[in-house]
Amino acid sequence: MALTGERTVPGLAEENYWFRRHEVVYRLLADRCIDRDVLEAGSGEGYGADLIADVARHVIGLDYDESAVAHVRSRYPRVDMRQGNLAELPLPTASVDVVVNFQVIEHLWDQGQFVAECFRVLRPGGVLLISTPNRITFSPGRDTPVNPFHTRELNAVELTELLESAGFDIEGVFGVFHGQRLAQLDAHHGGSIIDAQIARALADAPWPADLLADVASVRTDDFDMVLDADRDIDDSLDLVAIAVRP
């Protein structure tokens, strides 16, 4: 698969921070998929769908990109991989128990249509698990995303309103934060290990050895995911919502 920076790939030292920041949500919410029929809408490289396959009854992966579909079929045979448009999910009504959509909705032009489709394909009592970058910290002070691949980023209130407008009940909205060790790495790299990585990418130059070593050392347990009542969610890096279809 071609590397664009938008499809997180496991096993690459330079990508490890972003991979672990994505992976932590899969691992913390995997128990919601135990013995259930799961759709991952926007499955990308496929590592997350394969992780879910450890516990789920059946995992369907869906992606629009032909190369991603071919890659997942080749590398992750436990995933029932399909090609399709997220605005028109190619599944029957009330056919799955869980829809997983991590770090994808910010790329979609018609987010309301997608969420309505998730509601349609879920069985009553089914759960939509969704994560997305927090607009307040990802594109601070801007309505237009900094990332050119993103169409619309959301804050916690906007994400909640989007889900509720489609008919979902909100079980919880969480924030992903740097834990203690990542806070120490932030301090070591001038206040932000994220900014240090972006600076190297923009410079198109070799990474300093200490930065590469620190990025490669990041683990999923270096991140905290906490309920919005426990910490100011507007300070979070990513938002995570659990929404239930009545």
Side-chain angles (χ1 to χ4, degrees), residues 97-136:
D97 303 302
V98 181
V99 176
V100 172
N101 183 251
F102 293 159
Q103 304 296 315
V104 172
I105 196 168
E106 64 275 6
H107 297 269
L108 304 182
W109 288 104
D110 196 338
Q111 296 174 346
Q113 172 66 18
F114 167 69
V115 173
E117 279 288 278
C118 292
F119 190 94
R120 179 185 66 80
V121 302
L122 281 166
R123 295 167 181 145
V127 179
L128 170 60
L129 307 176
I130 191 165
S131 74
T132 190
N134 178 12
R135 176 171 60 80
I136 294 174

Side-chain angles (χ1 to χ4, degrees), residues 54-222:
D54 287 339
V55 299
R57 179 168 52 227
H58 181 219
V59 179
I60 300 169
L62 182 69
D63 205 279
Y64 188 73
D65 184 78
E66 290 184 6
S67 65
V69 173
H71 172 82
V72 175
R73 286 175 176 167
S74 173
R75 183 167 182 176
Y76 304 111
R78 297 188 299 176
V79 178
D80 177 5
M81 191 63 198
R82 307 179 188 181
Q83 184 178 12
N85 190 335
L86 269 62
E88 297 180 1
L89 297 177
L91 274 73
T93 297
S95 58
V96 295
D97 303 302
V98 181
V99 176
V100 172
N101 183 251
F102 293 159
Q103 304 296 315
V104 172
I105 196 168
E106 64 275 6
H107 297 269
L108 304 182
W109 288 104
D110 196 338
Q111 296 174 346
Q113 172 66 18
F114 167 69
V115 173
E117 279 288 278
C118 292
F119 190 94
R120 179 185 66 80
V121 302
L122 281 166
R123 295 167 181 145
V127 179
L128 170 60
L129 307 176
I130 191 165
S131 74
T132 190
N134 178 12
R135 176 171 60 80
I136 294 174
T137 57
F138 206 81
S139 298
R142 295 170 58 105
D143 292 326
T144 302
V146 170
N147 188 321
F149 293 98
H150 293 181
T151 60
R152 180 195 176 206
E153 294 170 356
L154 303 163
N155 62 29
V157 171
E158 292 162 344
L159 178 59
T160 299
E161 290 175 346
L162 178 67
L163 297 171
E164 288 181 336
S165 67
F168 284 100
D169 294 332
I170 306 300
E171 181 176 312
V173 179
F174 300 79
V176 175
F177 298 84
H178 281 178
Q180 181 177 1
R181 181 169 174 273
L182 274 170
Q184 293 171 349
L185 292 180
D186 280 333
H188 178 69
H189 293 283
S192 172
I193 193 170
I194 298 173
D195 290 347
Q197 293 175 80
I198 293 172
R200 300 321 303 166
L202 292 176
D204 193 24
W207 287 45
D210 64 332
L211 175 61
L212 185 59
D214 285 343
V215 168
S217 74
V218 174
R219 306 178 303 270
T220 56
D221 58 7
D222 290 327

